[in-house]
Amino acid sequence: MLDLDVQLLTLAAGAAVMVIAWLASVGMEDASVADIAWGMSFVAIAWTAHLVGDGASERSLLIALLVTIWGLRLSAYIWWRHDGEDKRYVEMREKQGSGSFALRSLGSVFLLQAGIAWVVSIPVQVAATDPTPVLLGAFAIVGAAVVLVGIGVEAIADFQLAAFLAGKDSSGKVMDRGLWRYSRHPNYFGNATLWFGVWLIALECGSAWWTIVGPLVMLVFLLKVSGVALTEKSIGSRRAGYEEYQRRTSSFVPLPPKPER
């Protein structure tokens, strides 16, 4: 079940984070601030749900803590890797004009991301409003383990990629080491995994079965919109041997690689 007051407050919390980020981006002329703030919008939603919801406090606290670990790590990593405005936003800025884009980006970039974060966080909100069962059970334990595995996979994949790109001989080459040997996008797989783990924790509430829509929305965006599809749209032209890497390596779910030709 969803509580309208909780819904409105969590939506406002996520939007507030992104509005602050938008104000910073206007002064910096860098819309990539939205990507840095993305993880923190989830954190704001989770803690707002925990504080104002009247559900089982242990469950909502567990979720809030897990989401905080993920959100802080992701935002810190993107901030650390940030090196100028992302080319997606550069293209939008050039197409719309710098002055027009500054205002339009509030809705088309920042508040849009806040809305997506709110939808993905539906399991978080339901878990914070359903008081049953009172104590944490098997679903919560398994779900928390899945979340931690997802966070770990995403973090390790990000670290491995960053280390590879920092190497002097990485230009034009394919990252096919570590977790990237088994999946072309292990970081996105870890991200999707953790949100299904959050759903498992919420599933302990009898009313939360339908909230799988949250992780499914994240999965669709990772596979079809901003993740896998966007990355692979042009990477083949920039990385020699990527077609062969595609042939032998799973796109998303880590699997043993196929033999090289």
Side-chain angles (χ1 to χ4, degrees), residues 59 62 66 135-146 197 200-202 204:
R59 185 169 303 103
L62 173 63
L66 291 171
L135 300 178
L136 298 176
F139 275 108
I141 296 172
V142 173
V146 172
L200 284 175
I201 300 174
E204 203 157 54

Side-chain angles (χ1 to χ4, degrees), residues 18 21-22 24-25 28 30-38 82 89 110:
M18 299 310 286
W22 172 73
S25 78
M28 298 167 62
D30 184 352
S32 294
V33 176
D35 300 334
I36 298 173
W38 165 251
H82 178 254
Y89 304 129
F110 290 84

Side-chain angles (χ1 to χ4, degrees), residues 8-211:
L8 293 175
L9 288 170
T10 53
L11 182 60
V17 170
M18 299 310 286
V19 168
I20 293 171
W22 172 73
L23 290 171
S25 78
V26 172
M28 298 167 62
E29 294 188 350
D30 184 352
S32 294
V33 176
D35 300 334
I36 298 173
W38 165 251
M40 299 312 299
S41 65
F42 285 93
V43 174
I45 290 170
W47 281 105
T48 300
H50 171 65
L51 293 172
V52 303
D54 57 0
S57 60
E58 289 186 6
R59 185 169 303 103
S60 63
L61 177 60
L62 173 63
I63 292 177
L65 290 172
L66 291 171
V67 171
T68 299
I69 293 171
W70 169 75
L72 286 175
R73 189 214 69 84
L74 181 64
S75 290
Y77 173 76
I78 296 175
W79 174 77
W80 174 60
R81 293 289 301 163
H82 178 254
D83 184 24
E85 189 169 51
D86 188 278
K87 64 180 181 179
R88 296 170 296 161
Y89 304 129
V90 171
E91 292 173 357
M92 294 171 67
R93 188 182 296 278
E94 292 176 347
K95 184 177 180 180
Q96 298 176 15
S98 184
S100 177
F101 175 70
L103 181 59
R104 290 185 180 185
S105 66
L106 173 60
S108 63
V109 177
F110 290 84
L111 292 182
L112 175 61
Q113 290 197 28
I116 295 169
W118 183 84
V119 173
V120 173
S121 298
I122 286 177
V124 177
Q125 300 172 60
V126 169
T129 57
D130 192 325
T132 59
V134 176
L135 300 178
L136 298 176
F139 275 108
I141 296 172
V142 173
V146 172
V147 172
L148 291 173
V149 167
I151 293 173
V153 168
E154 185 180 33
I156 292 171
D158 282 343
F159 174 79
Q160 290 176 339
L161 180 60
F164 169 77
L165 293 176
K168 296 180 180 179
D169 60 345
S170 66
S171 180
K173 295 186 178 180
V174 176
M175 170 52 169
D176 58 358
R177 311 166 192 170
L179 294 177
W180 300 82
R181 182 170 183 266
Y182 305 97
S183 168
R184 302 200 300 273
H185 303 280
N187 51 341
Y188 296 142
F189 173 77
N191 191 313
T193 297
L194 75 91
W195 284 107
F196 280 98
V198 170
W199 174 71
L200 284 175
I201 300 174
L203 191 59
E204 203 157 54
C205 307
S207 62
W209 60 271
W210 64 273
T211 65

